[in-house]
Amino acid sequence: MTVTEPELGGRTNRRRWIVVIVLCVGQLMIVLDGTVVNVALPIIQRDLHFSQASLAWVINAYLLTFGGLLLLAGRLGDLIGRRRVFLVGLGAFVVSSVVCGLAPSAGVLVVARFVQGISAAMVSSMVLGIISPMFPEPRERTTALSVYAFVAVGGASLGLVLGGAITELLSWHWIFFINAPVGAAALVLGTMLLEEQPGVGLAQGADFLGALLVTGAPMLAVYGLVNAGSHSWGSVSTVVPLGLSVVLVATFVLVEGRVRTPLIPLRIFRHRNLVSAAAVRTLFPMGAFGMNFLGALYLQHVLGYSALRTGLAFLPSSAMTGIISLTLTPRLVRRFALKHLVVTGLVLITAGLLWFTRIPVHGGFGSVVLPTMILTGAGFGLVFMPSVAIAMSDASADEAGVASGLANVAVQLGASIGVAALATLATSRTAHLLAGHAVAKVALTDGYRLGLLVAAGCTAASLLAAVVLLRSVRPVQSAAAVEVEPVSLSH
């Protein structure tokens, strides 16, 4: 029996879309693990005996390694092949997820989360590089990238609710175990379907030292900030890590100016919009992640919400982000200057966080929580895509990958430092009030309120940076370029 050309073309087309599904499943797991843990934090804290300040490591261990190694993982894909890096990363993610679920202590969980972050960087950095070459025709490529964007945004929206449901109906362990069967299926299909994409070879060089420095610097900063919660801001255990973090940043700059294949070529910082957008995207996640982290603790520790109810409380924000990112923003970027969308979004986020600082000891969902979720969700939906488009507006074609990577890394690292700082501030304030014999819920609420006020200050600083530093970029004629940015870990 002879296979006709149309039949062969149809099979090839079906295979391509199956590959897209496999890649998106891998990305979905990465996205979910950025948000699914939030609502389970109070139960994890109780079961594994975390302090409130050290609890930030459950989030930051993942974010730091994910953000810090994204650029290196992308380079490794170029060197040794994207298929290989994707499959190795996916396998490591499955194994580390199982270890997270089995973790008998806080230390084991944090170490396993570090490994999850490393493997997540390997998976996530490969997805777009594999999808794009499979669809040379622009319309098909736009469709494929839109599917990817929908998964990224939908996963972020699903994570909080799914985390609450799994935690309440099963246990927090299962928010990690669920990755095993899904990841194993994606791994088998990926092994069968992904075509080999040979790299250019390790001889071309990778900036491992740069990757170590860019990951180690924020890690030390977070360690110092967390120590400030249990010691003091002037203690050796706080000052020394913060000082070393500054040293590593300076060393990174020196290294990047001297190595043959730098992780981040220093010439990229000549682009004003890239640097300005990176600053904006570093500052506002401090507030965004702060709201998720402190908000989940407030709802459960003070208002007595269950894990499922907490996840549902965050649903309006996630839904607003998803709806606006996928439906409204792609239209707006064709009509309005991108800077205007970013500024409008940051105004909404700042207003929502300021409203959240009104949290009472005995409060209803409708008066404080719901307005906050609607405002911040709408703001997130307006900021993410236009801000990455602005970051890339000055970059040349051969700098696009680095510019996009830097814009995304800024979000992860800003979020990590923000969570650590806000957790420490809230913990210190609560401890001070408890020492003065305040009622526990009053002390907790006041600590969360201080953290949220600082979070609002971070987004206000991001708004000021956007107004003063960003150059206006004309409306984008095709939204395809900005529909590929993962919203996953920033909300």
Side-chain angles (χ1 to χ4, degrees):
M1 179 178 177
T2 303
V3 179
T4 64
E5 188 172 330
E7 289 175 332
L8 187 60
R11 290 179 186 177
T12 301
N13 195 47
R14 282 195 297 273
R15 181 189 178 95
R16 285 189 304 172
W17 285 106
I18 293 173
V19 170
V20 169
I21 293 171
V22 171
L23 293 170
C24 285
V25 167
Q27 181 65 27
L28 179 62
M29 291 195 303
I30 305 306
V31 172
L32 285 175
D33 265 67
T35 57
V36 74
V37 177
N38 275 283
V39 295
L41 286 175
I43 299 173
I44 293 174
Q45 179 182 11
R46 182 195 65 207
D47 287 358
L48 299 184
H49 310 293
F50 279 95
S51 67
Q52 182 165 299
S54 65
L55 188 64
W57 280 112
V58 178
I59 302 293
N60 285 338
Y62 185 81
L63 295 180
L64 284 168
T65 47
F66 179 89
L69 296 175
L70 265 176
L71 293 175
L72 178 63
R75 177 60 176 163
L76 282 177
D78 295 335
L79 296 178
I80 65 175
R82 296 189 182 101
R83 176 183 183 273
R84 181 180 301 174
V85 172
F86 177 82
L87 293 177
V88 170
L90 190 57
F93 190 84
V94 170
V95 173
S96 58
S97 295
V98 173
V99 175
C100 283
L102 295 173
S105 66
V108 173
L109 178 59
V110 169
V111 170
R113 288 286 282 171
F114 273 115
V115 179
Q116 267 197 316
I118 295 170
S119 51
M122 296 173 69
V123 173
S124 187
S125 61
M126 294 300 101
V127 173
L128 291 178
I130 296 175
I131 289 178
S132 295
M134 289 195 305
F135 295 93
E137 200 277 316
R139 180 171 296 182
E140 283 192 331
R141 183 187 302 164
T142 299
T143 301
L145 295 179
S146 296
V147 171
Y148 166 81
F150 177 78
V151 169
V153 176
S157 303
L158 178 64
L160 291 166
V161 179
L162 187 62
I166 292 174
T167 300
E168 187 162 322
L169 298 176
L170 297 171
S171 72
W172 66 263
H173 304 275
W174 281 93
I175 63 177
F176 299 110
F177 288 152
I178 196 173
N179 288 330
V182 177
L187 188 60
V188 171
L189 289 173
T191 303
M192 295 169 53
L193 297 174
L194 288 178
E195 295 182 2
E196 193 67 53
Q197 296 178 318
V200 296
L202 287 172
Q204 296 297 318
D207 185 11
F208 291 100
L209 179 57
L212 181 64
L213 291 170
V214 82
T215 307
M219 203 172 293
L220 282 170
V222 167
Y223 181 71
L225 291 169
V226 170
N227 281 343
S230 54
H231 297 84
S232 68
W233 289 98
S235 68
V236 173
S237 59
T238 299
V239 173
V240 171
L242 292 176
L244 287 175
S245 175
V246 174
V247 172
L248 289 189
V249 171
T251 305
F252 174 75
V253 173
L254 292 174
V255 168
E256 297 306 280
R258 286 167 170 75
V259 297
R260 181 167 61 92
T261 53
L263 192 67
I264 304 177
L266 296 183
R267 69 177 184 276
I268 203 80
F269 293 105
R270 297 173 185 167
H271 301 312
R272 174 174 168 175
N273 264 347
L274 173 60
V275 174
S276 302
V280 168
R281 289 168 63 83
T282 299
L283 286 168
F284 88 81
M286 294 181 180
F289 266 78
M291 184 194 77
N292 286 346
F293 182 80
L294 297 177
L297 295 176
Y298 165 72
L299 290 173
Q300 294 187 55
H301 285 328
V302 177
L303 297 188
Y305 279 27
S306 65
L308 177 58
R309 193 177 177 190
T310 300
L312 292 173
F314 279 96
L315 183 58
S317 179
S318 299
M320 287 292 290
T321 301
I323 291 170
I324 290 179
S325 294
L326 292 175
T327 60
L328 184 60
T329 302
R331 298 177 183 178
L332 293 177
V333 297
R334 300 189 188 104
R335 300 184 57 188
F336 300 100
L338 299 178
K339 177 178 177 177
H340 296 162
L341 299 183
V342 172
V343 168
T344 302
L346 291 172
V347 168
L348 292 173
I349 295 171
T350 303
L353 284 168
L354 286 173
W355 189 268
F356 210 18
T357 62
R358 300 170 64 252
I359 53 173
V361 177
H362 304 288
F365 174 77
S367 60
V368 176
V369 179
L370 181 59
T372 295
M373 297 302 165
I374 292 174
L375 287 170
T376 56
F380 296 145
L382 287 174
V383 167
F384 284 122
M385 295 190 222
S387 63
V388 80
I390 291 175
M392 298 178 68
S393 62
D394 293 339
S396 60
D398 62 332
E399 296 172 330
V402 175
S404 176
L406 185 61
N408 286 324
V409 167
V411 172
Q412 317 307 330
L413 300 187
S416 303
I417 294 171
V419 167
L422 298 178
T424 296
L425 289 171
T427 300
S428 300
R429 177 62 176 167
T430 297
H432 175 73
L433 293 175
L434 289 174
H437 307 292
V439 176
K441 285 191 175 183
V442 173
L444 283 170
T445 302
D446 207 64
Y448 299 147
R449 190 180 293 123
L450 173 63
L452 291 169
L453 185 61
V454 175
C458 292
T459 57
S462 180
L463 172 60
L464 180 62
V467 171
V468 174
L469 300 177
L470 289 181
R471 286 177 175 164
S472 186
V473 178
R474 61 182 175 79
V476 178
Q477 296 307 310
S478 172
V482 296
E483 286 180 343
V484 301
E485 197 229 343
V487 182
S488 57
L489 294 180
S490 38
H491 176 45

